[in-house]
Amino acid sequence: MGVELKAEALGRAAGRDKQIAVPERPVLRRGVRLRRSGDAVMLDGADKRQAFTGKFARESLGRLAAACDGTTTRAGIAAAVNLDEAVVLKSLALLWASGALEEGVRPGESPAVSPELACLLSRLGNSTGVNPSWTDAAARLDRATVHVAGDKDLAEATARCLDGVCEVVGDLDELPVTDDALVVFFETRRSRPELAELRNRCWLERRSLLRVRADGTSMTLGPYVDPAFTPCLECGAADEGDDLPDEPPQQAHDLVAGIVAHHVLALSSRSIRTYLPLDAGIIDLTTLSTRYRPSATRPGCPTCSFSKGTTASVPPSSAVYEASIALPVRKFLDTNGHLAHFHSKNMKLQWQFRDWPSCPRVTLPEADVSRMAGAPPPVADRAGVGRPEVALMLAVAFGIRERSDGWVQRWTAAGGNIGSATAYVVSRDASVLPVGGYAYRERDHDLAQLTSTALPGERPLLLVVTANLKKMGAKYGTFGLRLSFCDGGVALSAARKVADQLNLASSLVTDWDDQVLSEYLGLSTAEEPITAVMEVG
């Protein structure tokens, strides 16, 4: 199923978002075209096929694209096609995000590369969104230097693939120690004894190393090792084992070399997608099915760990999870991925609210945010908690400020503006709320009563924060778990600020029983884990 981007949303964001880099002098990417197909305009030849719909696309998009010759500015294009410049900006933002446009080549700056390579870099350049023009990718390749070592047959096959693409040197001493230099080592049964020395030298000399392991049935591309930001090779390959039963078959040499050359090109040019540098890929040489494995540091590793003590045999699962969702360093950041924020299905998430339709409602007074102004009263004048205080705390920490102009504005920041943190209130004091458990409905600023059963405890109120993993996972996948815990912490910090300002007694609960609270509130620990708990009053 495809994704939908709207020109209106992108155009609104283009003026304020630095990661939406609409070309100043746009030109169609090499090898792409726009064509009319029924009621839509199709984009062919880009890294993914696109369809543009609507009256503007049918009547004006083709002539607007034709005016993008790489030398004319946005204002000049607007004048040429007789359209408002703001409309042109929105349209260009959509075409850029769709992979149709790039920055025009500046006079005298066209690199001397083959037409085929230029077309490849231009057509696939939208895959990462790093290079404004294909010429920037070609310049990166021109600076790149690679040393290929290890298994002789695989090294020679890879060097042939990279010939004419980037510089390949035969001796490590000829390789400069720069960000544009890379060592590739092919580990097979016969070349394995050479790896330890090269691995140690690259780490000591701060050189980037890409290890490729191959046997009779599979290859492992990675880990990529850079002393500046990755674990060492021993940690990255800790769970592989020592068994290399046989050599890769002769007929697989060109396949292995081609895959490696593809990813070296991706690392160097930043115009093609790659799972490097953070993950390794284990590829079956018969079916080409691929599994991905992140690199994580083993606690106690003398090479890359800050912790002291006995070195763990493999990284713990928590470290593997953190490595699997980690963002790459700025050098390898995929800015094109930022556009996911503006996919229609993701923007709709901010408008999705849970309702608890079968539960009775308990009204809350309007949140009086004016009480947050000025200095808090003296501690000696400790206030009691009532419904106005509960309403203000829930509104500021979890509630909606206003809904307008296509955006939901919240009082407290939330990852992706989705609002993954859900608030539950447990009342033990009937003078505040009838005894029982409640869910806060932020859209309507009221409470849904889940149960009237009492929960043991001394404080009048218990605030329980949970993570809506289903909602966060729809946009962020496994990364959503970490964002959900971050959202829970931010929301609870806001609730504590309100409590302090109102001079309410409050204290964090650092050790709670997940099972007891989840059963009481009717939660699934797998789909809606508890992220924070606070006693109030």
Side-chain angles (χ1 to χ4, degrees), residues 227-244:
F229 67 91
T230 72
C232 65
L233 181 56
E234 298 97 315
C235 287
D239 61 349
E240 286 182 341
D242 297 327
D243 188 28
L244 271 172

Side-chain angles (χ1 to χ4, degrees), residues 176-210:
V177 184
T178 65
D179 288 343
D180 304 304
L182 176 66
V183 178
V184 179
F185 185 90
F186 287 94
E187 179 188 2
T188 60
R189 187 171 59 179
R190 62 172 171 257
S191 68
R192 188 172 191 176
E194 308 166 29
L195 178 57
E197 181 180 354
L198 181 69
R199 172 193 71 200
N200 295 337
R201 180 178 173 185
C202 287
W203 188 270
L204 290 173
E205 295 179 3
R206 315 290 290 177
R207 296 180 183 274
S208 299
L209 170 66
L210 174 61

Side-chain angles (χ1 to χ4, degrees), residues 144-493:
T145 311
V146 179
H147 170 59
V148 188
D151 185 273
K152 182 179 178 181
D153 294 338
L154 292 173
E156 290 178 350
T158 303
R160 290 193 298 270
C161 289
L162 294 173
D163 183 39
V165 176
C166 59
E167 183 180 1
V168 180
V169 297
D171 194 303
L172 183 58
D173 291 327
E174 300 176 32
L175 189 73
V177 184
T178 65
D179 288 343
D180 304 304
L182 176 66
V183 178
V184 179
F185 185 90
F186 287 94
E187 179 188 2
T188 60
R189 187 171 59 179
R190 62 172 171 257
S191 68
R192 188 172 191 176
E194 308 166 29
L195 178 57
E197 181 180 354
L198 181 69
R199 172 193 71 200
N200 295 337
R201 180 178 173 185
C202 287
W203 188 270
L204 290 173
E205 295 179 3
R206 315 290 290 177
R207 296 180 183 274
S208 299
L209 170 66
L210 174 61
R211 192 287 312 259
V212 183
R213 175 183 169 119
D215 58 29
T217 60
S218 66
M219 64 174 287
T220 302
L221 182 62
Y224 177 97
V225 179
D226 185 329
F229 67 91
T230 72
C232 65
L233 181 56
E234 298 97 315
C235 287
D239 61 349
E240 286 182 341
D242 297 327
D243 188 28
L244 271 172
D246 47 17
E247 301 290 337
Q250 181 70 34
Q251 65 267 25
H253 286 183
D254 285 345
L255 173 61
V256 173
I259 292 173
V260 172
H262 169 94
H263 287 275
V264 169
L265 174 64
L267 283 170
S268 301
S269 71
R270 303 300 317 284
S271 282
I272 302 171
R273 290 198 185 280
T274 175
Y275 45 78
L276 300 172
L278 296 186
D279 290 338
I282 301 93
I283 306 169
D284 186 292
L285 294 178
T286 301
T287 66
L288 297 185
S289 61
T290 305
R291 294 181 293 113
Y292 303 101
R293 185 187 69 216
S295 293
T297 294
R298 298 168 297 165
C301 173
T303 304
C304 62
S305 175
F306 287 100
S307 64
K308 305 298 182 183
T310 304
T311 303
S313 58
V314 294
S317 57
S318 56
V320 174
Y321 169 73
E322 287 294 327
S324 72
I325 62 167
L327 294 176
V329 295
R330 186 174 181 83
K331 173 185 174 183
F332 292 106
L333 188 64
D334 173 4
T335 53
N336 186 264
H338 178 67
L339 292 174
H341 286 296
F342 304 102
H343 292 167
S344 294
K345 67 182 181 66
N346 289 335
M347 294 185 68
K348 289 176 182 176
L349 289 173
Q350 62 181 306
W351 294 92
Q352 294 179 7
F353 304 99
R354 299 174 67 185
D355 195 46
W356 296 273
S358 62
C359 297
R361 303 284 181 259
V362 175
T363 59
L364 289 173
E366 184 177 348
D368 183 6
V369 294
S370 65
R371 298 179 66 182
M372 297 301 297
V379 175
D381 299 332
R382 181 73 75 184
V385 61
R387 285 200 190 187
E389 289 73 30
V390 173
L392 181 58
M393 185 181 302
L394 293 175
V396 169
F398 306 92
I400 305 303
R401 187 171 185 174
E402 62 177 317
R403 288 167 280 181
S404 62
D405 194 27
W407 300 93
V408 172
Q409 295 187 32
R410 304 174 187 276
W411 285 102
T412 296
N417 195 27
I418 292 176
S420 70
T422 302
Y424 293 89
V425 177
V426 178
S427 173
R428 304 184 183 106
D429 186 344
S431 66
V432 182
L433 291 167
V435 172
Y438 302 84
Y440 177 57
R441 301 170 68 249
E442 67 269 33
R443 178 181 57 189
D444 299 316
H445 184 60
D446 62 15
L447 298 172
Q449 186 171 15
L450 307 177
T451 177
S452 58
T453 304
L455 183 72
E458 297 180 359
R459 297 289 188 93
L461 297 178
L462 188 70
L463 176 62
V464 179
V465 186
T466 67
N468 189 341
L469 290 187
K470 185 176 181 180
K471 192 177 183 184
M472 289 298 277
K475 177 177 179 180
Y476 291 105
T478 52
F479 184 58
L481 176 63
R482 177 195 255 199
L483 283 181
S484 294
F485 276 88
C486 179
D487 282 356
V490 171
L492 194 68
S493 296

Side-chain angles (χ1 to χ4, degrees), residues 64-80:
L64 187 150
C68 298
D69 58 5
T71 62
T72 308
T73 64
R74 298 174 201 161
I77 294 172

